Amino acid sequence: MRKTILIIGVALALVNVVYSFMRDAETVLFFGKDINIWVYRLIWAFMAILILNAYRKEAKK
């Protein structure tokens, strides 16, 4: 069950990064603050990498 949740998390993070390229915005609201769209993309990409790493560790067990 944990592997499935991790896969869903990676997919959602990557979809969020891809969708951010389809929007025409220079800033985005993230936790109530306006931040640069590239910082927003980096945050989501980093989250996807972290979740993918957790999935790989779980798969080794």
Side-chain angles (χ1 to χ4, degrees), residues 1-16 44 48 51-52 55:
M1 181 69 179
R2 180 167 163 78
K3 289 181 191 178
T4 306
I5 293 172
L6 291 172
I7 290 171
I8 291 170
V10 170
L12 288 175
L14 292 176
V15 165
N16 207 357
W44 278 107
I51 297 169
L52 185 62
Y55 173 78

Side-chain angles (χ1 to χ4, degrees), residues 36-57:
N36 187 318
I37 192 70
W38 286 102
V39 174
Y40 177 78
R41 290 171 182 154
L42 284 174
I43 290 170
W44 278 107
F46 185 67
M47 281 197 271
I49 291 168
L50 286 177
I51 297 169
L52 185 62
N53 189 31
Y55 173 78
R56 288 185 18 199
K57 285 181 182 178

Side-chain angles (χ1 to χ4, degrees), residues 16 23 25-37 40 43-44:
N16 207 357
R23 289 186 271 183
E26 291 185 16
T27 62
V28 67
L29 196 63
F30 189 69
F31 289 118
K33 301 250 184 193
D34 269 340
I35 62 170
N36 187 318
I37 192 70
Y40 177 78
I43 290 170
W44 278 107

